[in-house]
Amino acid sequence: MDIILDAFWDTLKLFPFLFLIYVLMEILEHRTKLTQSRKILQGGFAPLIGSATGLIPQCGFSVMAAKLYDRGFIRTGTILAVFIATSDEALIILISDMSAAHAVMPLVLIKLLVSIGAGYLANAILPKEKLAKCGSQDVQAHFCCGEHEGGLLGETSDFNAYIISPLLHALKIAAYLLIVNLVFGYIIDIAGGVEKISASAMEGGAYVQPLITGLIGLIPNCASSVILTGAYTNNAVMFGSLVGGLCSNAGLGLVVLFKNTKKIKRNLLLVLVMYVISVVVGITVNGFMILLQMV
């Protein structure tokens, strides 16, 4: 019952954000000029904006980015920047713990630099990445690429487009996320809970811990950020191991991304890149701390 209630509550907290995301996406497509939208979503500053957005302690932004990426509105570098910058509940937990609050600024700075660098590097590697354009079949499957007649809520078609359609989409995603939260909640419970998983991260030294924390960060559940920060505040892992784990902590964005089974290879490659980056960052930061005798 506790697992069911926790999963339901976690999903319920995200539902208003999901609904708002779909409303904004409809407005973005129908009520703004598409050329102006592309300048923001696909322009040169997109990875920078994505990184800044991902830093906000709310996993809903990674969900939004995943939907935009899946529909071809943003490039791979942008989604990578958002995912790497995302930390879910970690920043809130660290700030609320006076003994660990000093780690917040270094954590934010490192994640910001890594996410921006990875985002621009990915876009440089994929300069001819195909993106959705008005009139394409992918876009037409979700949008009409034109404005509805009448006011925003003045006609029945507007009400359907901006209220009913986003509500239905949000309910579908929420149901999907609820199932995932139930499954992972049960797995975590079987594994012995957050405390036992945190304790397992103690195994290995400075150059082994990031391999473990990077995998924990990939768990698409808010529990992963709790596990990582809990391990750090209890001196179970080094700071670099925490940073590495949080670099792969994209939250529920990964769940939304993997909902598209037609692009499973692309999604798996993205996860692999995130994991490699998280491990490299974790080992590097731990190495510098040892070199500077900060541990």
Side-chain angles (χ1 to χ4, degrees), residues 108-244:
V108 169
L109 181 60
I110 294 173
K111 281 175 65 70
L112 184 63
L113 292 175
V114 173
S115 59
I116 292 174
Y120 279 107
L121 179 60
N123 283 347
I125 295 174
L126 302 170
K128 298 181 180 179
E129 187 173 6
K130 186 178 180 181
L131 297 171
K133 295 181 180 180
C134 192
S136 69
Q137 292 182 352
D138 288 340
V139 175
Q140 287 180 346
H142 299 282
F143 304 108
C144 68
C145 287
E147 296 189 6
H148 297 287
E149 296 180 359
L152 184 62
L153 296 176
E155 299 290 337
T156 303
S157 59
D158 287 328
F159 183 78
N160 288 333
Y162 297 111
I163 301 297
I164 300 302
S165 180
L167 181 61
L168 292 176
H169 277 99
L171 285 171
K172 289 179 182 178
I173 295 296
Y176 184 73
L177 295 179
L178 177 60
I179 294 173
V180 171
N181 281 330
L182 284 170
V183 171
F184 276 97
Y186 183 72
I187 292 174
I188 291 171
D189 183 68
I190 292 297
V194 171
E195 292 80 8
K196 189 171 183 179
I197 298 176
S198 298
S200 69
M202 292 177 63
E203 299 177 5
Y207 305 112
V208 177
Q209 286 181 1
L211 295 171
I212 302 172
T213 57
L215 289 174
I216 294 175
L218 290 174
I219 299 174
N221 186 285
C222 63
S224 59
S225 61
V226 176
I227 291 170
L228 292 169
T229 50
Y232 174 71
T233 56
N234 287 291
N235 298 315
V237 297
M238 294 177 62
F239 176 69
S241 304
L242 171 68
V243 176

Side-chain angles (χ1 to χ4, degrees), residues 3-291:
I3 295 172
I4 294 174
L5 289 176
D6 287 342
F8 180 78
W9 179 241
D10 288 340
T11 305
L12 185 63
K13 288 190 294 184
L14 190 61
F15 179 77
F17 199 87
L18 286 172
F19 176 66
L20 179 61
I21 287 170
Y22 280 107
V23 171
L24 290 175
M25 288 179 69
E26 291 287 351
I27 294 175
L28 178 67
E29 179 62 24
H30 294 299
R31 297 293 172 178
T32 62
K33 293 181 180 180
L34 196 62
T35 53
Q36 293 179 350
S37 302
R38 283 205 298 269
K39 288 180 180 179
I40 298 174
L41 298 176
Q42 303 172 1
F45 289 104
L48 180 61
I49 296 173
S51 298
T53 303
L55 286 174
I56 299 174
Q58 167 57 261
C59 66
F61 287 105
S62 68
V63 173
M64 179 178 181
K67 292 302 298 181
L68 290 172
Y69 180 63
D70 200 42
R71 294 184 179 183
F73 284 110
I74 60 176
R75 301 179 66 181
T76 300
T78 305
I79 186 69
L80 193 59
V82 174
F83 279 3
I84 293 175
T86 299
S87 297
D88 209 352
E89 306 289 341
L91 294 181
I92 296 176
I93 296 174
L94 289 174
I95 291 173
S96 62
D97 189 333
M98 294 301 295
S99 63
H102 66 278
V104 172
M105 288 307 298
L107 172 65
V108 169
L109 181 60
I110 294 173
K111 281 175 65 70
L112 184 63
L113 292 175
V114 173
S115 59
I116 292 174
Y120 279 107
L121 179 60
N123 283 347
I125 295 174
L126 302 170
K128 298 181 180 179
E129 187 173 6
K130 186 178 180 181
L131 297 171
K133 295 181 180 180
C134 192
S136 69
Q137 292 182 352
D138 288 340
V139 175
Q140 287 180 346
H142 299 282
F143 304 108
C144 68
C145 287
E147 296 189 6
H148 297 287
E149 296 180 359
L152 184 62
L153 296 176
E155 299 290 337
T156 303
S157 59
D158 287 328
F159 183 78
N160 288 333
Y162 297 111
I163 301 297
I164 300 302
S165 180
L167 181 61
L168 292 176
H169 277 99
L171 285 171
K172 289 179 182 178
I173 295 296
Y176 184 73
L177 295 179
L178 177 60
I179 294 173
V180 171
N181 281 330
L182 284 170
V183 171
F184 276 97
Y186 183 72
I187 292 174
I188 291 171
D189 183 68
I190 292 297
V194 171
E195 292 80 8
K196 189 171 183 179
I197 298 176
S198 298
S200 69
M202 292 177 63
E203 299 177 5
Y207 305 112
V208 177
Q209 286 181 1
L211 295 171
I212 302 172
T213 57
L215 289 174
I216 294 175
L218 290 174
I219 299 174
N221 186 285
C222 63
S224 59
S225 61
V226 176
I227 291 170
L228 292 169
T229 50
Y232 174 71
T233 56
N234 287 291
N235 298 315
V237 297
M238 294 177 62
F239 176 69
S241 304
L242 171 68
V243 176
L246 293 178
C247 280
S248 63
N249 184 228
L252 295 172
L254 289 177
V255 176
V256 175
L257 204 62
F258 274 92
K259 191 173 183 293
N260 185 350
T261 56
K262 294 180 180 180
K263 297 183 179 180
I264 189 71
K265 291 182 180 179
R266 177 205 66 180
N267 297 337
L268 287 173
L269 181 60
L270 190 65
V271 169
L272 178 61
V273 170
M274 286 177 56
Y275 178 69
V276 171
I277 290 174
S278 70
V279 171
V280 170
V281 170
I283 291 176
T284 302
V285 174
N286 281 346
F288 271 108
M289 292 184 68
I290 293 173
L291 183 64

